[in-house]
Amino acid sequence: MTKTGTVFLVGAGPGDPDLLTMRAARLLQNATLIVHDGLVDPAILALASSGATLISVAKKRSKHTLPQDQINALLVREAHAGRDVVRLKGGDPFIFGRGGEEMEDCHAAGVPVEVVPGISAANGAAAAAGIALTHRDSASIVSFVAGQCKGLKDQNWAGLAGQHRTLVIYMGVKTAPQIAEKLMEDGLSPAMPVAVIENAARPEMRVLRGPLAALPEIVENHSVVSPALIVIGEVTARGDHAIARIAEEAAA
């Protein structure tokens, strides 16, 4: 009787291989099957052994290599065939990574799961950009939201952004105009500082700053693409160097 394999839900962190946990690195180096997201940096995939099978389940807006239910079924099928599976996700598996859904389906099918946390995209991007998501003088609350989802305009974001609060928006590049409009309609000042962090913790990282009202133009004029995060709050403008660059970078 074939022994059921284990599914390892592994966080790849924000992009730099040096930011992997030691557990994640060991699993990658010893894996025979890796099912990975599209935004996982190639340098991280390069850590896999030459004999490993790599399966991409890349997801882009309105275009998925595999729907989520088929990804779940793939993990279960391979584990039932006796293979250990490294399910590699950008950031942390349980923060907008659908790791919870995959774990639940695996458990329902009798497949053991081990979760290997990673540095979340929000934490990694903010740290790489020199932005403290919390600060004694500027922010005592941090909220994470998804900017790419159905019914965005009708969602209640009241109180998520504003004075002494930091709002981190995942998957918000394509919906930046709607996000800015929504927040300003909810009463957030058009002058609230914003930072867009693209390719965090990678050599090609860009940090673009400006006021909330200019968010759509920042994204469009600089041709921002995923992986990118939007951080909204006073913490993005802390420090003389950041404040001096706000108007310049927004207008560039």
Side-chain angles (χ1 to χ4, degrees), residues 113-132:
V113 175
E114 179 180 322
V115 180
V116 181
I119 296 174
S120 72
N123 289 348
I131 296 172

Side-chain angles (χ1 to χ4, degrees), residues 30 210 213 231:
N30 296 323
V231 184

